[in-house]
Amino acid sequence: MAQWTSAVGAAQLARLLNSQQDRPAPGTRRPPAYRALADGIRLLVLEGRVPVAARLPAERELALSLSVSRTTVAAAYEALRGEGFLESRRGAGSWTAVPAGNPLPARGLEPLPPEALGSVIDLGCASLPAPEPWLTRAVQGALEELPPYAHTHGDYPAGLPALRAMIAERYTARGVPTMPEQIMVTTGAMGAIDAICHLFGGRGERIAVESPSYANILQLMREAGARLVPVAMAEGLSGWDMDRWRQVLRESAPRLAYVVADFHNPTGALADEDQRRRMVDAARSAGTVLVADETMGQLWLDEKYADGGMPRPVCAFDPAGSTVITVGSASKAFWAGMRIGWVRAAPDVIRSLVAARAYADLGTPVLEQLAVNWLFSTGGWEQALDLRRAQARENRDALVAAVRRELPDWEFEVPEGGLTLWVRAGGLSGSRLAEAGERVGVRVPSGPRFGVDGAFEGYVRLPFTVGGAVADEAAVRLAAAARLVETGATGGAEAPRTFVA
């Protein structure tokens, strides 16, 4: 059985290689043609522009597209095999890989314990402090509503009826008619996606995911036994290559596809309506269930998105309700400690999810559901969101200015919403930067956490969780970490690697 899960055509790979614009430094020799080709493919894999486990074109096809000899391509493939970036088998072709001994970094996303926050700047978690006084008011309002529920058993596997109705009403107000029977309340978005994966994506099932994608969801799917099929994102904030998505869904026929169309984590990209429509059409044609994660959807930071300026929800392009399952959450928009999420799907899917829940967590805490319902019903949610957006916008601008000042070689585009910057770290190893950052007092997750099997080695993710003087100090510490990596003083015996086109 072949080990590849997607394929890269000769013309597509040639375009990607030509986009690297490899220019040797003054006074240096150009490497041999086969070496330059091998280095170019290796860089594309490490940056995630060519997914891991992607079948590469045959030697003759690539040679024709690049206008080089077949011997050059054969030598490049052989060099990549020797370095562990390519695997081959007779009759199955050659597919991309990441060498053994390059595990995903183990640090960077787990929250720091409170006692460490005074000495370490935490850029690991994309979460902001609670938007007070709205958290306190919501909890107080929930306590006032609690007594009638306290006289019941307290188990509501589908969620409190009042909250289900309120969430359905909010979707209807966004132009997507929704009944309470189409809503299940969960323990955060992670609980929602875990339930969906267990219902649709059993062990060994293929799930198509953006590359890069949200690290914790990727790990959840791996632990569920899914076989991840990465689909490379386009450059910058342009986001989704629909031709590539259609090809992958057609050829791999995954049971599920997971996308973050609203201020994508980690890149910050926002899918336009045409991309959303084409994504739904491609999933429907392939018989794939499309899971649309809206957890960042209300965190627009540019005023042009106010008053209905956001694209319609992905589920708006699936009027029959047979293709799209939507996941929402209060955790990013309001507070990570408010572990309330929800699923919007067809009623039969909701019934199946609720039935399966009896063997998982039974239900979501009543008090937290009442708090979110209080926010929705009183207008507190909108006021808290205004506060949250202002804080994230201020933090974003401060962090962008500080990184540009201290690390001018680092490349990124400034997103118009969400909570994260996706940064190409000037040719340095993201894993080494994460390691060095621990030593100088700044915690940052490396790029490979957001890819499949070690891609994006040259990237780090920086969330908008700090501002002002703390953002300035974070950039200073990141620059110190970068110097440690550049000089090889990261604490390990192995010299740091650079990945330069």
Side-chain angles (χ1 to χ4, degrees):
M1 182 177 177
Q3 300 300 306
W4 50 272
T5 56
S6 61
V8 180
Q12 178 188 357
L13 183 56
R15 286 195 301 271
L16 291 171
L17 289 165
N18 290 333
S19 72
Q20 294 175 335
Q21 297 180 334
D22 184 18
R23 296 186 181 91
T28 62
R29 291 184 178 180
R30 277 190 181 275
Y34 86 90
R35 184 67 262 173
L37 176 56
D39 288 346
I41 294 173
R42 174 174 57 86
L43 179 62
L44 289 172
V45 173
L46 290 167
E47 289 186 338
R49 297 174 67 191
V50 169
V52 176
R55 188 178 188 271
L56 294 186
E59 295 169 3
R60 187 184 303 277
E61 295 174 15
L62 185 57
L64 286 172
S65 292
L66 292 173
S67 298
V68 300
S69 71
R70 182 177 177 180
T71 302
T72 296
V73 177
Y77 279 14
E78 184 59 35
L80 290 168
R81 276 190 288 270
E83 296 164 4
F85 285 94
L86 197 68
E87 296 181 10
S88 305
R89 195 173 70 222
R90 187 178 299 277
S94 299
W95 56 92
T96 55
V98 169
N102 285 41
L104 294 175
R107 299 191 286 266
L109 291 180
E110 301 78 12
L112 279 175
E115 61 270 16
L117 293 176
S119 58
V120 178
I121 298 174
D122 186 8
L123 297 181
C125 294
S127 300
L128 290 164
E132 290 288 24
W134 298 106
L135 174 62
T136 298
R137 292 180 182 177
V139 173
Q140 290 171 342
L143 287 171
E144 293 175 2
E145 299 291 333
L146 182 61
Y149 294 94
H151 294 292
T152 73
H153 49 65
D155 288 334
Y156 296 89
L160 294 183
L163 182 55
R164 296 176 72 195
M166 183 63 68
I167 294 171
E169 181 180 316
R170 293 175 72 85
Y171 275 106
T172 299
R174 294 169 66 191
V176 188
T178 304
M179 303 179 295
E181 292 80 9
Q182 292 177 260
I183 301 296
M184 180 177 83
V185 181
T186 62
T187 309
M190 292 290 289
I193 294 170
D194 181 60
I196 293 166
C197 286
H198 280 89
L199 181 62
F200 289 96
R203 187 163 295 276
E205 291 281 1
R206 292 182 175 183
I207 301 179
V209 295
E210 297 145 329
S211 183
S213 186
Y214 180 38
N216 287 336
I217 293 297
L218 295 181
Q219 189 59 32
L220 182 155
M221 292 175 175
R222 290 188 190 100
E223 292 182 358
R227 187 178 180 188
L228 301 184
V229 182
V231 186
M233 296 283 284
E235 283 291 290
L237 298 179
S238 56
W240 295 261
D241 183 331
M242 289 300 107
D243 291 336
R244 187 177 298 172
W245 266 99
R246 185 173 291 277
Q247 177 188 0
V248 169
L249 294 182
R250 182 178 63 246
E251 295 179 354
S252 298
R255 184 75 185 280
L256 287 175
Y258 169 78
V259 298
V260 185
D262 298 284
F263 305 117
H264 175 262
N265 186 353
T267 68
L270 175 68
D272 61 31
E273 293 207 351
D274 181 63
Q275 289 172 319
R276 293 167 192 244
R277 181 183 294 105
R278 294 176 65 189
M279 178 74 75
V280 174
D281 289 346
R284 185 183 296 115
S285 296
T288 298
V289 175
L290 181 63
V291 181
D293 188 338
E294 292 186 334
T295 55
M296 295 285 189
Q298 297 185 70
L299 288 173
W300 50 263
L301 305 182
D302 193 309
E303 288 300 326
K304 71 181 182 183
Y305 296 116
D307 300 322
M310 283 285 290
R312 285 177 290 169
V314 175
C315 57
F317 302 95
D318 179 38
S322 59
T323 299
V324 177
I325 297 178
T326 303
V327 171
S329 173
S331 297
K332 295 296 186 185
F334 187 76
W335 183 46
M338 187 70 76
R339 305 305 305 160
I340 298 295
W342 52 86
V343 177
R344 180 199 182 274
D348 61 319
V349 172
I350 294 297
R351 286 193 294 269
S352 296
L353 289 170
V354 171
R357 195 172 194 180
Y359 308 101
D361 64 353
L362 294 178
T364 304
V366 169
L367 188 62
E368 293 184 22
Q369 291 187 73
L370 289 172
V372 172
N373 193 59
W374 183 92
L375 288 166
F376 284 160
S377 61
T378 63
W381 179 263
E382 283 69 30
Q383 295 185 67
L385 269 177
D386 287 342
L387 182 62
R388 169 66 79 234
R389 292 188 190 110
Q391 184 180 18
R393 186 184 302 114
E394 181 179 340
N395 287 356
R396 179 198 63 184
D397 295 346
L399 186 63
V400 165
V403 172
R404 284 178 171 165
R405 181 179 63 249
E406 299 294 336
L407 294 150
D409 292 338
W410 287 21
E411 302 171 51
F412 55 88
E413 292 192 40
V414 182
E416 297 176 332
L419 290 172
T420 58
L421 286 179
W422 183 237
V423 182
R424 191 187 307 225
L428 300 179
S429 159
S431 298
R432 289 297 187 188
L433 282 167
E435 180 184 5
E438 297 276 351
R439 299 180 61 199
V440 299
V442 60
R443 200 179 202 204
V444 57
S446 62
R449 294 296 300 269
F450 304 89
V452 175
D453 296 332
F456 304 106
E457 182 58 56
Y459 288 79
V460 293
R461 189 195 73 171
L462 305 181
F464 317 144
T465 52
V466 296
V470 180
D472 292 339
E473 179 61 22
V476 168
R477 295 186 188 188
L478 285 171
R483 288 192 293 272
L484 287 178
V485 174
E486 289 168 344
T487 59
T490 54
E494 179 186 350
R497 297 171 297 167
T498 59
F499 305 108
V500 181

